[in-house]
PDB file of all heavy atoms in Angstrom:
ATOM      1  N   ASP V 170      38.591 130.132 157.183  1.00 96.00           N
ATOM      2  CA  ASP V 170      37.743 131.277 157.595  1.00 96.00           C
ATOM      3  C   ASP V 170      37.054 131.908 156.388  1.00 96.00           C
ATOM      4  O   ASP V 170      35.967 132.373 156.546  1.00 96.00           O
ATOM      5  CB  ASP V 170      38.640 132.375 158.227  1.00 96.00           C
ATOM      6  CG  ASP V 170      39.410 131.823 159.396  1.00 96.00           C
ATOM      7  OD1 ASP V 170      38.926 130.839 159.902  1.00 96.00           O
ATOM      8  OD2 ASP V 170      40.446 132.430 159.811  1.00 96.00           O
ATOM      9  N   LEU V 171      37.687 131.841 155.264  1.00 97.00           N
ATOM     10  CA  LEU V 171      37.046 132.407 154.020  1.00 97.00           C
ATOM     11  C   LEU V 171      35.914 131.573 153.642  1.00 97.00           C
ATOM     12  O   LEU V 171      34.822 132.102 153.270  1.00 97.00           O
ATOM     13  CB  LEU V 171      38.124 132.455 152.937  1.00 97.00           C
ATOM     14  CG  LEU V 171      37.712 133.096 151.643  1.00 97.00           C
ATOM     15  CD1 LEU V 171      37.531 134.591 151.784  1.00 97.00           C
ATOM     16  CD2 LEU V 171      38.774 132.849 150.523  1.00 97.00           C
ATOM     17  N   ILE V 172      36.097 130.293 153.765  1.00 97.00           N
ATOM     18  CA  ILE V 172      34.999 129.324 153.376  1.00 97.00           C
ATOM     19  C   ILE V 172      33.830 129.651 154.325  1.00 97.00           C
ATOM     20  O   ILE V 172      32.686 129.731 153.778  1.00 97.00           O
ATOM     21  CB  ILE V 172      35.423 127.895 153.436  1.00 97.00           C
ATOM     22  CG1 ILE V 172      36.576 127.599 152.447  1.00 97.00           C
ATOM     23  CG2 ILE V 172      34.234 126.866 153.265  1.00 97.00           C
ATOM     24  CD1 ILE V 172      37.188 126.230 152.550  1.00 97.00           C
ATOM     25  N   ALA V 173      34.068 129.833 155.508  1.00 97.00           N
ATOM     26  CA  ALA V 173      32.916 130.162 156.497  1.00 97.00           C
ATOM     27  C   ALA V 173      32.240 131.381 156.036  1.00 97.00           C
ATOM     28  O   ALA V 173      30.882 131.440 156.117  1.00 97.00           O
ATOM     29  CB  ALA V 173      33.529 130.320 157.892  1.00 97.00           C
ATOM     30  N   THR V 174      32.937 132.414 155.579  1.00 96.00           N
ATOM     31  CA  THR V 174      32.335 133.665 155.124  1.00 96.00           C
ATOM     32  C   THR V 174      31.531 133.410 153.986  1.00 96.00           C
ATOM     33  O   THR V 174      30.393 133.904 153.859  1.00 96.00           O
ATOM     34  CB  THR V 174      33.474 134.663 154.861  1.00 96.00           C
ATOM     35  OG1 THR V 174      34.375 134.762 155.991  1.00 96.00           O
ATOM     36  CG2 THR V 174      32.842 136.104 154.584  1.00 96.00           C
ATOM     37  N   PHE V 175      32.071 132.687 152.976  1.00 97.00           N
ATOM     38  CA  PHE V 175      31.304 132.336 151.745  1.00 97.00           C
ATOM     39  C   PHE V 175      29.937 131.674 152.090  1.00 97.00           C
ATOM     40  O   PHE V 175      29.019 132.016 151.546  1.00 97.00           O
ATOM     41  CB  PHE V 175      32.108 131.462 150.919  1.00 97.00           C
ATOM     42  CG  PHE V 175      33.305 132.124 150.171  1.00 97.00           C
ATOM     43  CD1 PHE V 175      34.238 131.334 149.499  1.00 97.00           C
ATOM     44  CD2 PHE V 175      33.500 133.503 150.180  1.00 97.00           C
ATOM     45  CE1 PHE V 175      35.277 131.963 148.780  1.00 97.00           C
ATOM     46  CE2 PHE V 175      34.486 134.076 149.609  1.00 97.00           C
ATOM     47  CZ  PHE V 175      35.478 133.413 148.891  1.00 97.00           C
ATOM     48  N   LYS V 176      30.012 130.748 153.048  1.00 96.00           N
ATOM     49  CA  LYS V 176      28.840 130.045 153.439  1.00 96.00           C
ATOM     50  C   LYS V 176      27.881 130.898 153.997  1.00 96.00           C
ATOM     51  O   LYS V 176      26.718 130.792 153.774  1.00 96.00           O
ATOM     52  CB  LYS V 176      29.186 128.976 154.486  1.00 96.00           C
ATOM     53  CG  LYS V 176      29.553 127.604 153.807  1.00 96.00           C
ATOM     54  CD  LYS V 176      29.693 126.610 155.019  1.00 96.00           C
ATOM     55  CE  LYS V 176      30.292 125.313 154.426  1.00 96.00           C
ATOM     56  NZ  LYS V 176      30.983 124.493 155.565  1.00 96.00           N
ATOM     57  N   ALA V 177      28.335 131.889 154.856  1.00 96.00           N
ATOM     58  CA  ALA V 177      27.332 132.721 155.557  1.00 96.00           C
ATOM     59  C   ALA V 177      26.873 133.943 154.644  1.00 96.00           C
ATOM     60  O   ALA V 177      25.745 134.312 154.741  1.00 96.00           O
ATOM     61  CB  ALA V 177      28.019 133.242 156.790  1.00 96.00           C
ATOM     62  N   GLU V 178      27.748 134.455 153.909  1.00 95.00           N
ATOM     63  CA  GLU V 178      27.290 135.813 153.225  1.00 95.00           C
ATOM     64  C   GLU V 178      27.863 135.950 151.811  1.00 95.00           C
ATOM     65  O   GLU V 178      27.789 137.031 151.217  1.00 95.00           O
ATOM     66  CB  GLU V 178      27.728 136.952 154.070  1.00 95.00           C
ATOM     67  CG  GLU V 178      29.154 136.981 154.464  1.00 95.00           C
ATOM     68  CD  GLU V 178      29.594 138.191 155.202  1.00 95.00           C
ATOM     69  OE1 GLU V 178      29.427 138.157 156.472  1.00 95.00           O
ATOM     70  OE2 GLU V 178      29.999 139.203 154.648  1.00 95.00           O
ATOM     71  N   GLY V 179      28.494 134.840 151.189  1.00 94.00           N
ATOM     72  CA  GLY V 179      29.008 134.987 149.864  1.00 94.00           C
ATOM     73  C   GLY V 179      30.298 135.793 149.979  1.00 94.00           C
ATOM     74  O   GLY V 179      30.910 135.944 150.936  1.00 94.00           O
ATOM     75  N   ASN V 180      30.676 136.357 148.786  1.00 94.00           N
ATOM     76  CA  ASN V 180      31.959 137.081 148.745  1.00 94.00           C
ATOM     77  C   ASN V 180      31.820 138.626 148.680  1.00 94.00           C
ATOM     78  O   ASN V 180      32.726 139.304 148.370  1.00 94.00           O
ATOM     79  CB  ASN V 180      32.827 136.543 147.569  1.00 94.00           C
ATOM     80  CG  ASN V 180      32.209 136.980 146.208  1.00 94.00           C
ATOM     81  OD1 ASN V 180      31.103 137.419 146.170  1.00 94.00           O
ATOM     82  ND2 ASN V 180      33.026 136.818 145.158  1.00 94.00           N
ATOM     83  N   ARG V 181      30.455 139.068 148.837  1.00 93.00           N
ATOM     84  CA  ARG V 181      30.275 140.509 148.652  1.00 93.00           C
ATOM     85  C   ARG V 181      31.189 141.317 149.497  1.00 93.00           C
ATOM     86  O   ARG V 181      31.694 142.407 149.157  1.00 93.00           O
ATOM     87  CB  ARG V 181      28.782 140.745 148.960  1.00 93.00           C
ATOM     88  CG  ARG V 181      28.355 142.172 148.572  1.00 93.00           C
ATOM     89  CD  ARG V 181      26.840 142.303 148.607  1.00 93.00           C
ATOM     90  NE  ARG V 181      26.217 141.496 147.651  1.00 93.00           N
ATOM     91  CZ  ARG V 181      25.846 141.846 146.441  1.00 93.00           C
ATOM     92  NH1 ARG V 181      26.269 143.043 145.994  1.00 93.00           N
ATOM     93  NH2 ARG V 181      25.205 141.106 145.633  1.00 93.00           N
ATOM     94  N   ASN V 182      31.471 140.927 150.803  1.00 93.00           N
ATOM     95  CA  ASN V 182      32.139 141.764 151.666  1.00 93.00           C
ATOM     96  C   ASN V 182      33.654 141.405 151.824  1.00 93.00           C
ATOM     97  O   ASN V 182      34.374 141.816 152.690  1.00 93.00           O
ATOM     98  CB  ASN V 182      31.597 141.813 153.041  1.00 93.00           C
ATOM     99  CG  ASN V 182      30.102 142.384 152.944  1.00 93.00           C
ATOM    100  OD1 ASN V 182      29.928 143.431 152.323  1.00 93.00           O
ATOM    101  ND2 ASN V 182      29.182 141.756 153.667  1.00 93.00           N
ATOM    102  N   VAL V 183      34.004 140.437 150.998  1.00 94.00           N
ATOM    103  CA  VAL V 183      35.465 139.895 151.082  1.00 94.00           C
ATOM    104  C   VAL V 183      36.381 140.784 150.271  1.00 94.00           C
ATOM    105  O   VAL V 183      36.083 141.031 149.150  1.00 94.00           O
ATOM    106  CB  VAL V 183      35.508 138.484 150.554  1.00 94.00           C
ATOM    107  CG1 VAL V 183      36.911 138.026 150.538  1.00 94.00           C
ATOM    108  CG2 VAL V 183      34.684 137.505 151.545  1.00 94.00           C
ATOM    109  N   ASN V 184      37.448 141.352 150.989  1.00 94.00           N
ATOM    110  CA  ASN V 184      38.343 142.117 150.279  1.00 94.00           C
ATOM    111  C   ASN V 184      39.655 141.292 150.130  1.00 94.00           C
ATOM    112  O   ASN V 184      40.520 141.375 151.000  1.00 94.00           O
ATOM    113  CB  ASN V 184      38.538 143.428 151.009  1.00 94.00           C
ATOM    114  CG  ASN V 184      39.457 144.388 150.244  1.00 94.00           C
ATOM    115  OD1 ASN V 184      39.754 144.190 149.072  1.00 94.00           O
ATOM    116  ND2 ASN V 184      39.777 145.473 150.867  1.00 94.00           N
ATOM    117  N   ALA V 185      39.805 140.551 149.086  1.00 95.00           N
ATOM    118  CA  ALA V 185      40.898 139.683 148.957  1.00 95.00           C
ATOM    119  C   ALA V 185      41.761 139.947 147.750  1.00 95.00           C
ATOM    120  O   ALA V 185      41.376 140.658 146.868  1.00 95.00           O
ATOM    121  CB  ALA V 185      40.369 138.219 148.871  1.00 95.00           C
ATOM    122  N   VAL V 186      43.030 139.418 147.826  1.00 94.00           N
ATOM    123  CA  VAL V 186      43.826 139.442 146.528  1.00 94.00           C
ATOM    124  C   VAL V 186      43.419 138.237 145.821  1.00 94.00           C
ATOM    125  O   VAL V 186      43.641 137.081 146.220  1.00 94.00           O
ATOM    126  CB  VAL V 186      45.403 139.393 147.036  1.00 94.00           C
ATOM    127  CG1 VAL V 186      46.126 139.325 145.654  1.00 94.00           C
ATOM    128  CG2 VAL V 186      45.718 140.576 147.672  1.00 94.00           C
ATOM    129  N   THR V 187      42.718 138.526 144.621  1.00 93.00           N
ATOM    130  CA  THR V 187      42.167 137.340 143.838  1.00 93.00           C
ATOM    131  C   THR V 187      42.058 137.735 142.448  1.00 93.00           C
ATOM    132  O   THR V 187      42.035 138.943 142.079  1.00 93.00           O
ATOM    133  CB  THR V 187      40.801 136.953 144.426  1.00 93.00           C
ATOM    134  OG1 THR V 187      40.218 135.982 143.615  1.00 93.00           O
ATOM    135  CG2 THR V 187      39.886 138.175 144.506  1.00 93.00           C
ATOM    136  N   ASP V 188      41.968 136.720 141.549  1.00 88.00           N
ATOM    137  CA  ASP V 188      41.530 136.978 140.184  1.00 88.00           C
ATOM    138  C   ASP V 188      40.126 136.707 139.934  1.00 88.00           C
ATOM    139  O   ASP V 188      39.699 136.670 138.783  1.00 88.00           O
ATOM    140  CB  ASP V 188      42.486 136.212 139.242  1.00 88.00           C
ATOM    141  CG  ASP V 188      42.730 134.824 139.670  1.00 88.00           C
ATOM    142  OD1 ASP V 188      41.775 134.036 139.571  1.00 88.00           O
ATOM    143  OD2 ASP V 188      43.839 134.466 140.218  1.00 88.00           O
ATOM    144  N   TYR V 189      39.364 136.413 141.055  1.00 90.00           N
ATOM    145  CA  TYR V 189      37.923 136.165 140.851  1.00 90.00           C
ATOM    146  C   TYR V 189      37.190 137.465 140.796  1.00 90.00           C
ATOM    147  O   TYR V 189      37.324 138.324 141.668  1.00 90.00           O
ATOM    148  CB  TYR V 189      37.406 135.292 142.036  1.00 90.00           C
ATOM    149  CG  TYR V 189      36.036 134.655 141.772  1.00 90.00           C
ATOM    150  CD1 TYR V 189      35.990 133.547 140.974  1.00 90.00           C
ATOM    151  CD2 TYR V 189      34.875 135.278 142.295  1.00 90.00           C
ATOM    152  CE1 TYR V 189      34.739 132.983 140.807  1.00 90.00           C
ATOM    153  CE2 TYR V 189      33.772 134.740 142.032  1.00 90.00           C
ATOM    154  CZ  TYR V 189      33.638 133.520 141.286  1.00 90.00           C
ATOM    155  OH  TYR V 189      32.389 132.966 141.066  1.00 90.00           O
ATOM    156  N   GLU V 190      36.398 137.660 139.729  1.00 83.00           N
ATOM    157  CA  GLU V 190      35.726 138.987 139.654  1.00 83.00           C
ATOM    158  C   GLU V 190      34.304 139.072 139.919  1.00 83.00           C
ATOM    159  O   GLU V 190      33.757 140.091 140.168  1.00 83.00           O
ATOM    160  CB  GLU V 190      35.936 139.442 138.104  1.00 83.00           C
ATOM    161  CG  GLU V 190      37.434 139.877 137.906  1.00 83.00           C
ATOM    162  CD  GLU V 190      37.787 140.050 136.409  1.00 83.00           C
ATOM    163  OE1 GLU V 190      36.981 139.666 135.541  1.00 83.00           O
ATOM    164  OE2 GLU V 190      38.874 140.466 136.168  1.00 83.00           O
ATOM    165  N   ASP V 191      33.584 137.926 139.909  1.00 87.00           N
ATOM    166  CA  ASP V 191      32.130 137.961 140.075  1.00 87.00           C
ATOM    167  C   ASP V 191      31.755 138.089 141.599  1.00 87.00           C
ATOM    168  O   ASP V 191      32.554 137.790 142.461  1.00 87.00           O
ATOM    169  CB  ASP V 191      31.486 136.783 139.443  1.00 87.00           C
ATOM    170  CG  ASP V 191      31.713 136.703 137.976  1.00 87.00           C
ATOM    171  OD1 ASP V 191      32.008 137.843 137.403  1.00 87.00           O
ATOM    172  OD2 ASP V 191      31.787 135.597 137.418  1.00 87.00           O
ATOM    173  N   ILE V 192      30.585 138.481 141.783  1.00 92.00           N
ATOM    174  CA  ILE V 192      30.057 138.484 143.161  1.00 92.00           C
ATOM    175  C   ILE V 192      28.940 137.323 143.272  1.00 92.00           C
ATOM    176  O   ILE V 192      28.267 137.090 142.326  1.00 92.00           O
ATOM    177  CB  ILE V 192      29.243 139.768 143.386  1.00 92.00           C
ATOM    178  CG1 ILE V 192      30.159 141.030 143.144  1.00 92.00           C
ATOM    179  CG2 ILE V 192      28.498 139.804 144.709  1.00 92.00           C
ATOM    180  CD1 ILE V 192      31.075 141.248 144.229  1.00 92.00           C
TER     181      ILE V 192
END
Side-chain angles (χ1 to χ4, degrees):
Chain V
D170 301 341
L171 183 69
I172 295 172
T174 310
F175 286 171
K176 266 188 195 157
E178 50 179 89
N180 71 347
R181 191 171 291 275
N182 297 320
V183 170
N184 188 6
V186 176
T187 175
D188 44 72
Y189 193 80
E190 285 168 352
D191 299 334
I192 300 287

